[in-house]
Amino acid sequence: MRGRKADRFCGIGTSDSLPAPFSLVKAVEFNDNPFSPQRMVGPDETLRSRRAFIKTALAGAAGALIAGMSKHGAYAYTGAQQGRHGPNLSQLGLSEASQLVRSKKVSPVELTRECLSRIEQLNPKLNAFITVTADSALAQARQAEAEIQHDHWKGPLHGIPIALKDLVDTAGVRTTAASGLFKDRVPTQDAEVVRRLKAAGAVLLGTLNLHEFAYGGSSVISYFGPVHNPWDTDYSPGGSSGGSAAAVAAHLCYGAIGSDTGGSIRMPAAYCGIVGLKPTYGRVSTRGVIPLAWSLDHLGPMTRTAKDAALILQVIAGYDPEDTSSTDTPVADYAGTVEAKTSSLRIGIPRAHFYDGLHPEIQAAIDTALSVLGKLTSSQHEIEIPAPNDTAILIQKAEAYAYHRDYVTKSPELYQAETLKRIRAGTEISMAAYIYARRQVDQFRRSVPKVFDSVDLIVTPTTPVPPSMISELLADLDHLRAKELLTTPNTRPFNVLGLPTISVPCGFTRTGLPIGMQIIGPHGREATVLQLAHAYEQATEWHKRKPNLG
């Protein structure tokens, strides 16, 4: 397969001038380098502020927090700050790091350096990042540090390093959708979600690898090469947001943005042992995002805990009058209500379809998870809900072809062959079939609220099968799509229904690969979904496990 590994480290506007991947990361680590933050600042006052800021790092409350962290089972510490600060700052969750930044115990610059160091160390194994914007990330971190030092804290994402799936436009940053077609594409405007993240003071580390144009569930088809699962690099991380899931699981960033058209946030979250939230359709603007299928596309956070997901959703959710799919509905206080009690919640169990043909180890994990949920909630009821997968697949084919028609006509050689085949399959869809399918989507979305007359939330396994080995998937490309579709029968229906859905870790296979559980709520009820996800995390230990990356 043509392409190259996504291991170049480049800053904005400097991707062609840097001599080697290590050079810019080295500049992050050593103060005598001309790219060092200290060399780039200037005013003595700012330098003194940083020294004061760093001097208090990991003291007081931070020291107590990190001292309580287990040193066993965590990644071996190899970051540039080991000598100064002891334990790896990357082991903090987003919410923990945010608290320490706000209280001026940890600097955003230190967090960013730690992430860049881990990217340098681990990205060659994982191939999670396509572009690392180290110079602009450090500039954003320094700005956040100065603002917080002067008591201008913008909120929980201020100074926190986050990364974006490489189909979310960032002005001045190469955004490729993992395709040779767009390998040199540099947008001039930010996507709405990027605008919101920047306004919240987030530090953007760069862009993450994915299945080309998000048209696949394995992340093995990319111009930049396959993404590898941090729990076992021989395995697929799922897709299409495979780079986002791998980066979060490997602690290369504190959170990531993914997209989801048929399960592309939730399925890789399940396979990488993290949290992935697909919000209600229209809750988060998709303006400025390279589409797969407009009627089904969602954006959402990928994090290590439900609370972390709530913090990111709080920033990116909201009405966008320039996005035709955006809905003008109130945004709840996700972060403030995530710890609410769940004892009154009624859980729906849709056995038909969603529990059919489960791998035995996934069946055992979900049975145990349901037992735990039984102690956290009021009751469990068997229910029926539609699973319109055929409708979803038809719409995806038609809308993907509509977006790509001119490109595949003019430059078919710039696509990976497998992606080109999938896009061209859209020519088989008649106008009448598409119009009927779109009408079905509208009917499903209008009727599905009735399901929640008797229950508050729905629970299913995220996937019915574990991930596949990358070598096996690439060895049989004729059957790759069929194998991918086996992973998404439980996720795809909720793109059609437009319901908020989260995947949380709920176990592991005997070979050590993560298993996920899906929690689904009514339209606009992300807060309730997050509450049960958080309560389940507090009752279990699955989300605390970390992959051993050496």
Side-chain angles (χ1 to χ4, degrees), residues 57-58 61-71 85-89 92 100 106:
L58 305 186
L65 174 63
I66 293 180
M69 293 171 54
S70 171
K71 295 182 180 180
H85 296 317
N88 193 333
L89 293 177
L92 296 170
L100 296 176
V106 168

Side-chain angles (χ1 to χ4, degrees), residues 4 142 163 165 169 215 250 272 275 277 328-329 340 398 437 519 542:
R4 63 183 182 274
R142 291 193 298 273
K165 187 174 181 177
D169 281 355
Y215 209 154
C272 290
V275 170
L277 174 62
D328 190 4
T329 54
I519 302 171
W542 303 118

Side-chain angles (χ1 to χ4, degrees), residues 110-178:
E110 296 297 279
L111 296 180
T112 303
R113 283 176 167 173
E114 179 64 23
C115 289
L116 292 171
S117 177
R118 288 188 66 79
I119 293 167
E120 179 201 4
Q121 174 196 0
L122 297 175
N123 200 58
K125 294 181 181 180
L126 302 176
N127 205 26
F129 274 85
I130 289 177
T131 301
V132 175
T133 53
D135 50 358
S136 64
L138 284 166
Q140 291 166 358
R142 291 193 298 273
Q143 179 179 347
E145 178 188 86
E147 291 167 344
I148 295 166
Q149 184 70 18
H150 291 88
D151 297 321
H152 300 306
W153 186 70
K154 295 180 178 180
L157 298 191
H158 200 181
I160 302 300
I162 290 172
L164 306 167
K165 187 174 181 177
D166 194 359
L167 46 62
V168 180
D169 281 355
T170 306
V173 178
R174 183 178 61 156
T175 306
T176 72

Side-chain angles (χ1 to χ4, degrees), residues 220-394:
V220 300
I221 303 297
S222 166
Y223 177 76
F224 301 94
V227 184
H228 297 263
N229 193 316
W231 294 90
D232 187 332
T233 55
D234 289 335
Y235 282 81
S236 162
S240 62
S241 306
S244 299
V248 173
H251 294 223
L252 307 186
C253 53
Y254 291 91
I257 299 298
S259 70
D260 192 313
T261 308
S264 292
I265 287 174
R266 293 157 289 152
M267 184 256 285
Y271 284 167
C272 290
I274 65 167
V275 170
L277 174 62
K278 181 198 78 64
T280 302
Y281 182 75
R283 170 62 77 196
V284 176
S285 174
T286 57
R287 181 167 58 92
V289 177
I290 297 168
L292 176 55
W294 298 283
S295 299
L296 305 173
D297 288 346
H298 300 64
L299 287 184
M302 303 179 74
T303 58
R304 292 194 282 276
T305 68
K307 181 181 286 189
D308 293 351
L311 293 177
I312 294 181
L313 183 63
Q314 199 72 61
V315 167
I316 65 175
Y319 179 55
D320 177 6
E322 297 184 45
D323 179 1
T324 57
S325 66
S326 182
T327 55
D328 190 4
T329 54
V331 175
D333 183 6
Y334 308 121
T337 61
V338 71
E339 297 182 6
K341 292 182 179 179
T342 60
S343 56
S344 65
L345 296 177
R346 303 163 297 168
I347 304 302
I349 312 296
R351 296 286 179 186
H353 175 82
F354 294 93
Y355 286 76
D356 292 341
L358 298 181
H359 185 281
E361 294 170 24
I362 292 178
Q363 179 73 67
I366 198 68
D367 287 345
T368 301
L370 289 174
S371 178
V372 173
L373 291 178
K375 300 174 183 178
L376 300 173
T377 59
S378 171
S379 57
Q380 295 183 1
H381 310 269
E382 295 207 7
I383 63 169
E384 293 184 1
I385 56 174
N389 282 325
D390 291 343
T391 298
I393 292 170
L394 186 151

